[in-house]
Amino acid sequence: MGDKILKKAELQDVLRALKRTYEVFVPVKENDFYSFKPLMDEEKVDLSFTNTRLSPKPLVLPQSERMFEFTLDEKSEDAHIVKESPKDYPPRIIAGVRPCDAKALRLLQVNFDNPEFKDPWWVKRRESMTLIGLGCSQPCSACFCTSVGCGPFNEEGLDILLFDLGECLLARTLTEKGERLLQLGGMDTDADSGLKKSADEVKTKAEKKISSHVPTDKLREKNVNDLFDAPFWDDVAFACINCGTCTFLCPTCWCFDIQDEVIRGEGDRIRNWDSCMFPLFTLHASGHNPRAQKVQRIRQRFMHKLKYYVDKYSNGVACVGCGRCVKHCPVNIDIREVFNLMNEL
Amino acid sequence: MVGYIDRIGAIAKRILEEETVDLLIGFKKGTLPMTTEPVLIRDAAETDQLYWDSFCFINLANYLPKREEKIGIIAKGCDLRNIAVHIVENQIKREQLYIIGVPCKGMVDRRKILSFLCGKEVREVTESDREIIVRGEGFEHTLKKGDYLQDNCIRCMHRNPVIYDALAGDLVEERKDPDPYDDVRDIEAMGSEEKWQFFSNLIRDCTRCYACRNACPLCYCPTCFVDESDPQWVGKSIDPTDTMTFHILRAYHCAGRCTDCGACEQACPVDIKVRSFTRKLNKDALDLYGHEAGLSAEERPPLDTYRPDDYEAFIR
Ligand code: SF4
Ligand code: SF4
Ligand code: SF4
Ligand code: SF4
Ligand code: SF4
């Protein structure tokens, strides 16, 4: 494994050639924002994005996914038998993933792929993916990745990491999957030591540029009930309109709801994204709702990310500092301020 | 608009000190350029955090329903019309409110500015009466506010508060442009197939996060029809039929009540122009019943009133 070098303009040809073997997804700008879409034949690969509005999460955890099918038709011999819906897992390249979003997939993994439970669809989809990361040379001011165990050139979860060196790109191979991809794409020019040095410089410079920092050191030792009963939740919650924006845009939010939908006797069992911001999230069949108030819901979001997860997995916080919720919350509820409040309680 | 801050602060301080109100709902400065955060203040000493600029797009009327206290609230023209709707619909009483009206010069759409900057990051934004100065690493642009207003503000006909107890500044001149519905007319001119296509495309990226609904003061139902689980009226997936059902029903629930404040559209995380649904209904309410929502705190919305001169013969 090593560092290869290619001209920026060549990336497009390489990815296009790889379409013979893989489905290729890249950030595509539509309606003024970027999201991961299949690379079209005539499309230019555009690396000028800061980050995609929606994270690459839907590529492993689709917002709505048909899990099973069934029929209620008594005449059918399969009546009431729940069968797995046909699915396929074509090999996929996701190119242009930011390091924070790749790290977020690692966080999702503790939920969907752990020694105790394996979500078969999540696991297969994740395994069929090769991630080409793009380091953040120009991190934006709402990002705080370096405070939460990540960084603008963090390698976790990626198979290849691209360094933007101006005219050319340095491709650092991180896994065998990545190596195979580089071979298939015909990227075989080794980077010389001068270019490697430039890549290291780009990285150091970017890390220094991160202007936003949050404290996390005391979260672990805090008593969970003290945080739960902290006096600041009403203030934090006041402006919140309980939309699901923060959780739907977040690359690490993993909650879902399972629904049966039946039309004329034919049914699907569908898994949909859910959000702890929604009242329905905790509504019991009895009609009782343990989180009926918005303050309880907003507390859950922050407690889950910054305390329950921390205590349960000993793996840092459930936030990679991508800044999406900071930028897109319509009422500017800023998780960085909540980090401060909780850590300094 | 930033010129209003001192006056807002002074009035707020006075009404809290004199105990005219128990609490005050306003805005404080956001943590990023072009953001603001609604804030609730109980202590006169804290009124110095009150803030106002052209990015106060959230409609504070949204925070009123079912509150029992005496409340001071800061409201621009459209927000005030939503307060009037709340009063008519018994969500709050006029006596409970001390309204600081803001004669509005239009809200600036942060997404239009971001779109102009093509991905370059804004580090600082300052504004004067007619200009917005946007600074970032290696650039500075002076933009004309008028070119970056929210779509609803471009067409707004009621910039001044309709009911108020105090004003944050001098009343502004209302626009005389008589055609606020040119965009609706374009859609009306489409064939039905084309219209369906237009609206289907419009909501293609919808994530069903419901920020549009939740930002809207009109949506105060204890349980929204999309959240009912017994019976369940709409599917929860992003199936296009369910998504369209949500949008059409939401819009109909706002018929004759929507003030075109634009909060729904500004809150949407994927920039969907949801006002395209409600504006047609606003236009119909005006054309058929001569009604514009929230212009008085006495008149009930047309869809829950009987009038002998109703436009439909079957009802007369
Ligand atoms: S995006 Fe903001 S307003 Fe919406 S639920 Fe999250 S914190 Fe609340
Ligand atoms: S909580 Fe916010 S900053 Fe953290 S990973 Fe999620 S969207 Fe990004
Ligand atoms: S509980 Fe809330 S914050 Fe935690 S993963 Fe689920 S949606 Fe996200
Ligand atoms: S539907 Fe939108 S524009 Fe109309 S009142 Fe509600 S938030 Fe305002
Ligand atoms: S805010 Fe936007 S994405 Fe969310 S439900 Fe409304 S239209 Fe859909």
Side-chain angles (χ1 to χ4, degrees):
Chain A
M1 276 179 244
D3 294 347
K4 306 286 177 195
I5 197 85
L6 76 161
K7 293 242 167 54
K8 246 189 199 163
E10 284 167 8
L11 179 67
Q12 185 143 310
D13 306 329
V14 171
L15 289 176
R16 234 174 253 151
L18 286 166
K19 276 177 68 178
R20 281 196 288 271
T21 327
Y22 297 85
E23 282 184 358
V24 179
F25 287 78
V26 291
V28 174
K29 187 175 183 177
E30 251 177 60
N31 299 335
D32 263 340
F33 63 86
Y34 290 86
S35 47
F36 283 95
K37 301 238 161 91
L39 174 65
M40 293 300 166
D41 281 330
E42 292 317 311
E43 201 163 53
K44 283 193 108 176
V45 176
D46 173 0
L47 297 182
S48 66
F49 63 100
T50 43
N51 203 354
T52 50
R53 179 82 58 92
L54 277 140
S55 79
K57 175 172 75 174
L59 295 171
V60 261
L61 185 66
Q63 178 162 5
S64 294
E65 169 174 37
R66 180 179 288 117
M67 309 164 84
F68 301 104
E69 314 174 326
F70 51 87
T71 177
L72 302 182
D73 178 6
E74 302 290 343
K75 287 192 223 88
S76 157
E77 55 182 59
D78 287 341
H80 305 294
I81 296 176
V82 176
K83 294 181 173 168
E84 189 178 338
S85 306
K87 296 187 172 54
D88 62 345
Y89 306 92
R92 278 179 171 173
I93 294 173
I94 323 295
V97 178
R98 292 298 189 188
C100 53
D101 289 338
K103 162 127 184 160
L105 292 178
R106 273 289 169 86
L107 295 191
L108 292 180
Q109 196 170 347
V110 307
N111 196 47
F112 292 101
D113 180 10
N114 57 46
E116 212 178 340
F117 300 105
K118 293 217 184 301
D119 177 307
W121 308 303
W122 195 93
V123 172
K124 283 189 206 143
R125 231 178 255 121
R126 180 69 186 91
E127 278 170 356
S128 66
M129 276 168 47
T130 306
L131 297 184
I132 307 183
L134 177 65
C136 288
S137 309
Q138 303 283 346
C140 57
S141 57
C143 301
F144 51 96
C145 51
T146 48
S147 300
V148 288
C150 190
F153 284 82
N154 197 55
E155 297 173 353
E156 247 173 305
L158 290 169
D159 298 296
I160 294 171
L161 174 58
L162 298 176
F163 293 74
D164 187 340
L165 303 182
E167 288 286 285
C168 54
L169 292 165
L170 181 138
R172 180 158 294 167
T173 338
L174 304 167
T175 63
E176 296 199 348
K177 251 191 197 173
E179 183 137 288
R180 199 160 350 119
L181 190 148
L182 286 188
Q183 273 165 11
L184 270 174
M187 285 188 267
D188 48 15
T189 317
D190 285 316
D192 61 33
S193 58
L195 290 168
K196 284 185 194 189
K197 211 170 138 230
S198 313
D200 290 338
E201 278 164 18
V202 168
K203 176 178 166 174
T204 325
K205 227 166 116 193
E207 280 165 358
K208 281 210 194 99
K209 262 195 165 164
I210 300 274
S211 53
S212 200
H213 302 280
V214 296
T216 60
D217 54 316
K218 287 181 240 151
L219 291 170
R220 183 79 205 242
E221 74 205 33
K222 292 267 173 271
N223 179 295
V224 67
N225 288 329
D226 292 347
L227 282 174
F228 192 87
D229 295 326
F232 49 69
W233 292 117
D234 277 325
D235 276 347
V236 173
F238 171 71
C240 176
I241 58 170
N242 258 196
C243 65
T245 298
C246 48
T247 51
F248 278 9
L249 297 193
C250 177
T252 73
C253 274
W254 59 41
C255 289
F256 57 79
D257 178 30
I258 294 173
Q259 293 261 327
D260 283 358
E261 289 191 4
V262 182
I263 302 173
R264 285 185 280 277
E266 302 301 314
D268 292 315
R269 182 157 297 171
I270 303 170
R271 162 160 76 180
N272 298 309
W273 286 359
D274 204 349
S275 164
C276 57
M277 291 292 120
F278 298 156
L280 201 57
F281 188 77
T282 42
L283 183 67
H284 293 181
S286 67
H288 171 64
N289 193 343
R291 282 187 220 134
Q293 304 298 324
K294 110 175 145 181
V295 59
Q296 298 168 315
R297 299 194 283 272
I298 204 156
R299 173 172 59 195
Q300 161 62 23
R301 171 169 164 241
F302 292 120
M303 285 294 279
H304 177 222
K305 288 191 174 306
L306 309 187
K307 183 60 184 168
Y308 306 145
Y309 181 93
V310 173
D311 289 358
K312 181 165 176 186
Y313 297 104
S314 302
N315 184 23
V317 291
C319 164
V320 293
C322 73
R324 282 188 182 85
C325 61
V326 181
K327 277 185 255 180
H328 296 291
C329 169
V331 297
N332 188 235
I333 291 180
D334 188 331
I335 193 171
R336 297 172 301 172
E337 298 198 319
V338 183
F339 266 99
N340 275 313
L341 288 168
M342 287 177 67
N343 197 68
E344 307 310 327
L345 179 74
Chain B
M1 300 275 256
V2 282
Y4 293 155
I5 297 174
D6 292 343
R7 189 107 155 240
I8 289 174
I11 302 168
K13 192 159 187 253
R14 177 174 53 79
I15 57 177
L16 278 168
E17 270 169 2
E18 291 171 358
E19 293 179 19
T20 317
V21 296
D22 306 319
L23 59 91
L24 186 116
I25 300 175
F27 284 98
K28 66 177 182 187
K29 205 169 169 30
T31 56
L32 297 176
M34 306 189 282
T35 63
T36 51
E37 181 183 348
V39 61
L40 180 147
I41 296 177
R42 289 179 193 274
D43 183 351
E46 279 171 22
T47 47
D48 52 2
Q49 50 176 324
L50 284 169
Y51 184 69
W52 188 270
D53 68 8
S54 299
F55 300 96
C56 293
F57 65 83
I58 283 290
N59 186 331
L60 295 182
N62 201 15
Y63 297 92
L64 290 179
K66 317 262 165 14
R67 288 205 87 104
E68 306 280 330
E69 309 95 327
K70 291 204 76 181
I71 304 164
I73 185 161
I74 296 154
K76 46 193 187 289
C78 51
D79 307 351
L80 252 164
R81 291 169 57 201
N82 279 101
I83 295 177
V85 173
H86 277 333
I87 295 170
V88 174
E89 296 180 358
N90 299 321
Q91 292 309 304
I92 198 93
K93 295 195 193 69
R94 177 66 181 97
E95 310 81 82
Q96 267 177 278
L97 299 176
Y98 186 97
I99 301 168
I100 306 175
V102 176
C104 183
K105 296 171 191 164
M107 291 288 123
V108 172
D109 189 335
R110 72 188 199 286
R111 299 222 170 106
K112 286 188 184 171
I113 293 185
L114 294 175
S115 163
F116 162 78
L117 291 174
C118 270
K120 274 182 286 174
E121 205 202 354
V122 192
R123 293 281 160 116
E124 197 195 338
V125 170
T126 46
E127 65 172 280
S128 60
D129 218 29
R130 286 175 198 279
E131 285 169 347
I132 298 269
I133 301 163
V134 184
R135 292 189 193 86
E137 215 178 282
F139 68 86
E140 175 174 318
H141 300 284
T142 305
L143 308 174
K144 275 218 257 9
K145 244 191 219 173
D147 296 342
Y148 293 87
L149 289 182
Q150 286 179 195
D151 288 350
N152 62 311
C153 300
I154 295 172
R155 297 187 170 85
C156 174
M157 306 291 280
H158 303 283
R159 312 201 297 175
N160 286 309
V162 280
I163 37 173
Y164 52 83
D165 300 295
L167 282 176
D170 300 335
L171 292 178
V172 294
E173 205 179 325
E174 294 289 0
R175 290 169 65 251
K176 298 200 181 65
D177 182 356
D179 188 9
Y181 287 114
D182 53 328
D183 54 334
V184 181
R185 259 180 270 279
D186 289 345
I187 302 174
E188 285 173 339
M190 296 176 186
S192 48
E193 196 44 47
E194 198 187 342
K195 268 182 205 154
W196 186 254
Q197 217 41 60
F198 171 83
F199 284 106
S200 302
N201 283 341
L202 186 79
I203 58 167
R204 199 192 47 198
D205 291 331
C206 175
T207 64
R208 303 279 302 269
C209 71
Y210 304 135
C212 50
R213 175 198 67 186
N214 290 14
C216 176
L218 303 174
C219 289
Y220 53 69
C221 292
T223 308
C224 172
F225 72 97
V226 290
D227 291 333
E228 282 297 352
S229 50
D230 189 21
Q232 182 166 311
W233 305 106
V234 211
K236 305 276 187 245
S237 74
I238 45 170
D239 181 276
T241 311
D242 291 318
T243 307
M244 188 61 97
T245 307
F246 160 61
H247 281 286
I248 292 176
L249 278 173
R250 182 188 84 86
Y252 271 93
H253 288 182
C254 301
R257 306 165 63 224
C258 166
T259 62
D260 206 30
C261 72
C264 47
E265 209 160 274
Q266 292 299 316
C268 175
V270 288
D271 307 358
I272 293 176
K273 303 221 173 271
V274 283
R275 283 171 48 258
S276 309
F277 288 97
T278 44
R279 285 180 51 71
K280 162 67 177 158
L281 298 165
N282 294 358
K283 177 170 178 292
D284 282 356
L286 183 63
D287 290 351
L288 303 175
Y289 307 102
H291 179 86
E292 285 184 274
L295 288 187
S296 106
E298 279 94 45
E299 195 188 0
R300 296 203 62 87
L303 295 189
D304 76 354
T305 30
Y306 167 75
R307 280 221 223 122
D309 60 343
D310 195 282
Y311 124 100
E312 285 289 5
F314 75 89
I315 226 165
R316 272 184 249 146

